[in-house]
């Protein structure tokens, strides 16, 4: 399987939705720099933003990666 880190999953799903960092940031109530930080692996979203992030990226809350997850074309495969 092709596993991706959380930072890569956020970037991949955001770009597949055609959202800029600024647009995603506005939708979930954070600064654009925060999205950049997450996508560059310099931090993870705080719990308070995860549900909105999941909604905007079209994934379920239960499948959201809290740390690093296995992610492939089939979707999230669990925490690795």
């Amino acid at each position: 399987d092709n596993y991706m880190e959380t930072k890569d999953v956020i970037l991949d799903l955001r770009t597949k939705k055609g959202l800029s960092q600024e647009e995603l940031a506005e939708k979930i109530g954070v600064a654009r720099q925060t999205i950049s930080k997450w996508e560059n692996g310099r931090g993870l979203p705080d719990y308070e933003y995860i549900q909105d992030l999941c909604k905007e990226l079209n994934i379920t809350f239960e499948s959201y990666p809290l740390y690093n997850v296995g992610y492939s074309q089939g979707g999230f495969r669990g925490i690795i």
Side-chain angles (χ1 to χ4, degrees), residues 5 7-9 12-13 18 22 26-27 30 32 35 41 50-53 61 65 68 72 75-76:
E5 292 185 49
K7 65 186 182 81
D8 299 319
V9 172
D12 181 60
L13 294 175
E22 183 72 35
E26 287 177 13
K27 288 176 179 288
V30 299
R32 184 206 56 79
I35 302 295
I50 293 174
Q51 195 157 12
D52 289 336
L53 185 61
F61 182 76
N68 288 328
S72 67
F76 289 108

Side-chain angles (χ1 to χ4, degrees), residues 48-78:
E48 64 187 289
Y49 300 115
I50 293 174
Q51 195 157 12
D52 289 336
L53 185 61
C54 290
K55 177 183 170 196
E56 295 304 326
L57 297 179
N58 295 327
I59 59 174
T60 64
F61 182 76
E62 293 77 19
S63 69
Y64 178 78
L66 294 176
Y67 300 101
N68 288 328
V69 298
Y71 177 78
S72 67
Q73 287 185 331
F76 289 108
R77 301 286 291 257

